[in-house]
Amino acid sequence: MDTVTVNGNVIAWKEGMTVRNVLDEMKYSFRLLIIKVNGGIVKRENWDDFSVPKNADIKVIHLMSGG
Amino acid sequence: MGVSDLKSKHVPLKEMSYEPKELFRGYTDRVLHINLDNNSVNIKNVSPQMKEKFIGGKGYGLRLLWDATKPETKWNDNENEIVISPGPICGITQYAGAGKSLVVSISPITDIVIDSNVGGYFGPFLKFSGFDALELQGKAKNDVIIVIDGVKNTVTIEEAPAEEIDSHILAEQLTEMYSDSPEPRDMKNISVISAGHAADHTMIGMLNFSWYDIKRKKCRLKQAGRGGIGTVFRDKKIKAVVVKAAGVTQDPNHVADMEPIRERGARFAREMKELDPHQCRMKQEGTAHLVNIMNDYNLLPTHNFKFGSHKDADALHSRVWNKKFTQGMNDGCWIGCTMNCAKAVDDFVLKSGPYKGQAVIVDGPEYETAAGVGSNMGIFDADTVIELNFYCDTYGIDTISFGTMTAFAMECFENGLITKEHTGGMDLSFGNIESALELIHQMARGEGFGKIVGLGVRGMKKYFHEHFDADMNFMNDIGMENKGLEYSQYVSKESLAQQGGYAMTNKGPQHDEAWLIFMDMVNNHIPTFENKAEALHYFPMFRTWFGLMGLCKLPWNDVEPENNAETDEPAKVPEHVDNYVTIYNAVTGSNIDKAEMIRQSERVYNFQRTFNIRRGYGLRKHDAQPYRAAGPVTVEEYKSMEEFYDRKMKEDIGVDPAGKSVGEKIAITRKYREDRYEQLLDAVYLRRGWTSNGVPKIEHMKDLGMDLPEVIEVLSKHQ
């Protein structure tokens, strides 16, 4: 099975998988996120279209919010 | 009765005129001291050393409270004070979130210093009236109102027998009474501090700070919620403190250099306009935007922190609050705040209690309230959350403590530790809306089981054990309090750093010192003890700084600059940190950098730790946490995430869970997690310059320039 690693968690990779698919899969609904795929930042406006390569190391950095 | 009739019943006890004093670079360098034992009103000058070491806000509060009390002073002793201090940046209108006051006192539920921050106009108006801080000491014989008139430059103490106690009425009455006219342009110059009926009968009383909303033509209320300061207020028989300002000019602080403040403020306003709709939507939903997010990440407390999510949590989803909140209003709790997150529900018709059937405005709910009086009590009904929010506010009690306390009582009820025989016939099962409402009304009336719940979690544990023979060990495990303060509303079980962020706090488990769950649990950014210790050093110190200044923390990180991702340390939001350094220097004429910012906080933070030690607390044993904060206490909890806990046992502990009973697995997990917490304490104490018993080292205090004789006297006994 092809995989990607998201914040240290290994999940299945699928053909055409986008950053948005990864967020949905991980149930990452928080909005203050910084996303890096293999070290490169993916800007928010590209999350729906950016294809994640197999074996990618994805960092979804959650910032802080709230009182 | 109209306000002129109410006022006619006032009995003047004291009137003092004072010399006006304009602010200079954020300070008046004066403190107003009122003692109700003898109705004395005095003005004290702030010494250069106090200004240098304690800065303002919470720092001033701690300094003044230390000097006013003895180590053995109890919350209800006459010498205990309530100190309100805004800080040097408070009152500017060119940058968001600059209207906060910090309130400190000896807490009725923790017996140590509590500090609580609050919006509303009181803090800025106090400064404009000529004072950097207000000390309230002593006790009145009958209910009094204190009026600080910054227009006439007078301070009066008046017996006031006829006004209402509950805040939503009292704030309106006093705003009208002391305003020059009923016109909004005059009404907005009044701010009122008040509590409510439940503050008379519980240990979790809070203070409402009002501001007049000129668009709605109504008083709004913000809360200094934590630790029972409203209980102290009512014990002193203070009905209200009123401040009247002449108005707000462009530069009441007489800052050293206005231009950088304007420039940073405009930059921030652009971020709010362009980025907030895609980020946290603070302008539409306030902090309530977090409810569904916390549920998604298994961090939303439900059923007394047993679980972190619930199938019915969508009933409290941010889109629900978006519809309930009136949109398109200026909801800043201080002038010029472009974050505008003080959301409100208008024309809410109450279905219970003394105001049943009335349409009222309800400030909030914020995230903590929605989670506290909602999910944590098993209540997934938005209107009930709003109703409980309203009554907590007007009765003068803390929504966070009310939620955690009631959830604890509910779990005790469901486990048979207490029964209907003890509750006066109430079914206290999780999710029982009728009982939750009855409890809060009983607290306001000072009767029934509500009065017992009003003792707080620690008080209830003692009471249930002594009177109902309830199992103390079990209650210690599930009772979500540390140092006597109830936990705020995040599940910390899977974030060791957040466990420290809660239980290692100076005042008790409130998230305003450190919120590290994402950084730790989701991002895996701080895997080692040293990493966690660094975070538990930096963030509590950084966040303390807001409380020294009179600033709100939310504009720091609830919207983030577009290029924040490209910075070296995005979690710190470097551009906003630079804004704060720039603004501080521009207000005060100083020249600090971001390292000195942390040192300013460290001095005060360590002083507060020393204050706790002086009172017989503040040691390692006082940083212990209830096991519910660290892991699954019950079989039900373990089984709800059995696969997860089994996997963690294998991966983290190196023990194969196969063939083991749930009870055995709970015990193995517990031993491991409790040991990890002890290792965390060691690492954090080392990083903070403390001994292994949690005591600041004298050398460290010297390095900070905080080796004051009275501090060294306390610490030298514990080195």
Side-chain angles (χ1 to χ4, degrees):
Chain A
M1 181 179 73
D2 292 317
T3 61
V4 291
T5 304
V6 187
N7 288 358
N9 304 294
V10 177
I11 65 169
W13 175 83
K14 294 166 198 150
E15 187 67 44
M17 191 179 210
T18 64
V19 164
R20 179 69 65 193
N21 297 146
V22 171
L23 297 179
D24 291 343
E25 175 97 13
M26 296 298 292
K27 284 185 75 177
Y28 285 165
S29 57
F30 188 55
R31 289 184 288 266
L32 284 180
L33 299 175
I34 296 169
I35 300 181
K36 292 182 179 177
V37 177
N38 292 330
I41 292 174
V42 182
K43 289 197 167 181
R44 177 184 297 272
E45 57 265 32
N46 298 326
W47 289 356
D48 289 334
D49 304 320
F50 188 95
S51 292
V52 175
K54 65 177 79 166
N55 302 319
D57 180 28
I58 304 166
K59 304 281 189 210
V60 182
I61 302 164
H62 292 60
L63 301 175
M64 288 178 251
S65 177
Chain B
M1 197 183 287
V3 293
S4 53
D5 292 330
L6 294 171
K7 196 171 186 186
S8 70
K9 298 189 183 310
H10 286 196
V11 179
L13 300 175
K14 174 81 177 185
E15 175 162 355
M16 187 202 80
S17 297
Y18 63 87
E19 286 296 315
K21 189 170 184 195
E22 287 200 335
L23 285 148
F24 177 69
R25 297 184 174 185
Y27 291 96
T28 66
D29 294 326
R30 297 195 310 189
V31 171
L32 179 61
H33 180 273
I34 295 173
N35 191 326
L36 294 168
D37 286 342
N38 55 9
N39 295 317
S40 65
V41 180
N42 291 300
I43 295 174
K44 302 177 182 175
N45 292 318
V46 174
S47 70
Q49 187 203 50
M50 176 166 156
K51 194 170 174 178
E52 180 207 335
K53 307 282 189 197
F54 294 89
I55 309 295
K58 182 164 89 169
Y60 276 16
L62 291 168
R63 172 76 273 178
L64 294 166
L65 189 65
W66 175 300
D67 291 341
T69 57
K70 300 188 283 290
E72 60 276 12
T73 298
K74 297 297 175 195
W75 72 272
N76 54 356
D77 285 343
N78 290 39
E79 70 257 27
N80 187 21
E81 291 194 338
I82 296 169
V83 189
I84 300 160
S85 179
I89 297 179
C90 181
I92 65 167
T93 57
Q94 293 79 12
Y95 196 85
K100 287 272 190 172
S101 299
L102 271 289
V103 190
V104 305
S105 190
I106 304 294
S107 161
I109 52 173
T110 67
D111 196 34
I112 53 177
V113 183
I114 187 73
D115 60 273
S116 202
N117 76 75
V118 57
Y121 288 11
F122 189 93
F125 286 0
L126 180 69
K127 284 179 68 174
F128 305 162
S129 300
F131 307 104
D132 292 342
L134 168 64
E135 292 177 273
L136 300 169
Q137 196 173 35
K139 293 188 191 185
K141 290 186 180 64
N142 301 301
D143 276 351
V144 295
I145 290 173
I146 297 162
V147 183
I148 303 161
D149 188 329
V151 180
K152 291 183 190 162
N153 299 117
T154 58
V155 178
T156 58
I157 305 170
E158 303 164 7
E159 278 191 4
E163 288 84 356
E164 294 290 334
I165 297 284
D166 288 343
S167 276
H168 79 291
I169 302 173
L170 180 58
E172 294 283 354
Q173 287 175 336
L174 296 181
T175 300
E176 184 183 343
M177 187 180 293
Y178 290 100
S179 173
D180 287 341
S181 81
E183 294 301 317
R185 68 169 184 274
D186 293 320
M187 299 279 273
K188 71 177 172 52
N189 292 328
I190 306 292
S191 179
V192 178
I193 305 176
S194 57
H197 274 112
D200 288 357
H201 306 298
T202 68
M203 306 299 262
I204 57 160
M206 62 76 173
L207 296 177
N208 287 294
F209 281 48
S210 79
W211 53 287
Y212 189 77
D213 184 332
I214 54 173
K215 207 162 180 180
R216 290 179 169 93
K217 298 186 173 57
K218 286 176 182 164
C219 286
R220 306 280 305 274
L221 302 173
K222 297 299 286 183
Q223 292 75 38
R226 308 285 0 238
I229 305 174
T231 303
V232 180
F233 190 81
R234 290 298 299 143
D235 183 65
K236 293 182 178 301
K237 291 205 180 303
I238 304 173
K239 190 177 264 187
V241 184
V242 180
V243 66
K244 180 176 184 175
V248 183
T249 59
Q250 282 292 306
D251 183 18
N253 273 298
H254 296 108
V255 303
D257 185 2
M258 180 55 80
E259 194 43 43
I261 304 171
R262 278 192 216 285
E263 192 272 322
R264 299 299 172 119
R267 201 191 292 181
F268 182 84
R270 274 197 303 279
E271 289 170 19
M272 277 306 297
K273 188 175 175 192
E274 293 166 9
L275 303 175
D276 180 58
H278 314 290
Q279 294 184 4
C280 291
R281 298 201 288 260
M282 294 296 282
K283 216 167 187 166
Q284 284 79 43
E285 293 158 8
T287 57
H289 80 91
L290 285 167
V291 180
N292 45 292
I293 291 167
M294 292 300 114
N295 188 61
D296 288 345
Y297 288 80
N298 209 30
L299 297 169
L300 178 73
T302 83
H303 302 80
N304 193 31
F305 296 87
K306 272 197 275 190
F307 315 115
S309 62
H310 195 276
K311 63 181 175 52
D312 298 330
D314 269 3
L316 306 178
H317 196 286
S318 59
R319 62 177 168 260
V320 174
W321 302 117
N322 194 312
K323 285 184 190 152
K324 297 276 183 192
F325 295 146
T326 306
Q327 300 294 337
M329 306 294 270
N330 286 323
D331 282 327
C333 67
W334 171 238
I335 297 163
C337 183
T338 45
M339 185 153 261
N340 278 312
C341 67
K343 310 314 297 176
V345 179
D346 285 286
D347 302 317
F348 181 78
V349 179
L350 297 161
K351 63 184 176 194
S352 74
Y355 308 112
K356 183 178 176 178
Q358 294 183 19
V360 294
I361 181 171
V362 187
D363 273 275
E366 298 205 41
Y367 165 75
E368 297 291 334
T369 300
V373 307
S375 61
N376 207 19
M377 288 161 46
I379 291 174
F380 298 94
D381 178 73
D383 282 350
T384 302
V385 168
I386 296 168
E387 178 123 356
L388 286 167
N389 187 159
F390 171 80
Y391 274 114
C392 280
D393 288 355
T394 198
Y395 285 161
I397 54 174
D398 173 23
T399 56
I400 295 175
S401 280
F402 177 82
T404 300
M405 287 156 45
T406 306
F408 169 75
M410 286 174 159
E411 188 169 356
C412 288
F413 184 86
E414 290 207 340
N415 281 278
L417 276 68
I418 55 172
T419 66
K420 280 188 180 179
E421 198 180 316
H422 307 123
T423 64
M426 263 190 293
D427 175 354
L428 266 189
S429 303
F430 283 112
N432 191 321
I433 291 171
E434 195 182 328
S435 295
L437 290 167
E438 176 56 19
L439 267 186
I440 201 166
H441 297 312
Q442 286 186 356
M443 287 179 187
R445 297 194 298 267
E447 63 181 39
F449 193 67
K451 199 169 175 187
I452 297 169
V453 175
L455 295 171
V457 169
R458 185 168 282 190
M460 268 190 286
K461 287 193 297 190
K462 188 168 181 286
Y463 192 93
F464 292 176
H465 181 64
E466 288 176 359
H467 292 81
F468 312 146
D469 200 26
D471 180 347
M472 197 59 166
N473 289 332
F474 181 65
M475 290 191 294
N476 280 336
D477 280 351
I478 67 163
M480 290 297 283
E481 59 90 4
N482 151 273
K483 302 180 177 75
L485 187 70
E486 287 73 27
Y487 271 70
S488 71
Q489 308 298 334
Y490 298 96
V491 172
S492 56
K493 284 178 188 148
E494 304 313 319
S495 169
L496 178 61
Q498 187 56 33
Q499 290 166 34
Y502 267 140
M504 297 175 71
T505 45
N506 272 329
K507 66 171 170 257
Q510 169 74 353
H511 55 280
D512 65 345
E513 273 199 16
W515 197 93
L516 303 173
I517 302 182
F518 281 161
M519 187 184 271
D520 188 32
M521 182 185 103
V522 183
N523 301 341
N524 290 320
H525 261 173
I526 45 176
T528 68
F529 286 109
E530 288 70 26
N531 296 152
K532 293 181 205 305
E534 183 58 36
L536 280 167
H537 170 70
Y538 176 80
F539 287 103
M541 300 312 154
F542 177 69
R543 285 170 171 241
T544 292
W545 196 79
F546 291 92
L548 307 183
M549 297 297 147
L551 287 169
C552 175
K553 189 233 78 172
L554 296 176
W556 162 51
N557 68 346
D558 279 79
V559 64
E560 277 156 14
E562 206 156 18
N563 65 350
N564 191 48
E566 293 148 31
T567 60
D568 291 342
E569 297 181 290
K572 293 181 179 175
V573 200
E575 183 175 322
H576 287 179
V577 173
D578 189 61
N579 285 353
Y580 290 120
V581 171
T582 301
I583 290 168
Y584 175 79
N585 287 335
V587 169
T588 62
S590 308
N591 185 27
I592 69 162
D593 57 16
K594 63 181 182 180
E596 179 58 20
M597 188 184 198
I598 298 300
R599 283 172 66 82
Q600 286 181 331
S601 292
E602 266 194 283
R603 292 184 192 109
V604 174
Y605 192 91
N606 281 278
F607 183 81
Q608 188 168 357
R609 184 80 176 184
T610 308
F611 203 152
N612 287 348
I613 295 168
R614 179 199 194 213
R615 294 185 56 75
Y617 303 90
L619 305 177
R620 186 180 184 113
K621 64 183 175 184
H622 303 109
D623 291 339
Q625 60 179 339
Y627 185 60
R628 172 67 54 82
V633 173
T634 63
V635 171
E636 180 193 19
E637 273 171 280
Y638 193 96
K639 287 184 105 170
S640 73
M641 292 173 50
E642 190 162 19
E643 198 181 315
F644 171 82
Y645 287 130
D646 281 358
R647 181 164 52 83
K648 298 291 277 183
M649 186 177 295
K650 207 165 186 176
E651 291 174 359
D652 297 346
I653 313 177
V655 173
D656 187 350
K660 292 190 167 48
S661 70
V662 173
E664 287 169 329
K665 291 191 286 190
I666 289 173
I668 292 165
T669 301
R670 179 172 188 153
K671 185 174 181 311
Y672 174 76
R673 292 188 177 205
E674 288 183 338
D675 180 60
R676 297 253 303 163
Y677 184 69
E678 292 301 321
Q679 290 182 64
L680 180 73
L681 291 180
D682 288 336
V684 175
Y685 291 166
L686 183 68
R687 176 62 187 88
R688 288 184 181 173
W690 296 356
T691 71
S692 61
N693 198 24
V695 178
K697 291 179 183 168
I698 289 174
E699 284 308 307
H700 184 57
M701 298 302 267
K702 284 181 180 167
D703 287 346
L704 291 174
M706 207 57 181
D707 51 334
L708 308 173
E710 66 273 27
V711 167
I712 298 304
E713 187 189 342
V714 170
L715 296 179
S716 61
K717 296 171 193 159
H718 297 274
Q719 296 298 296

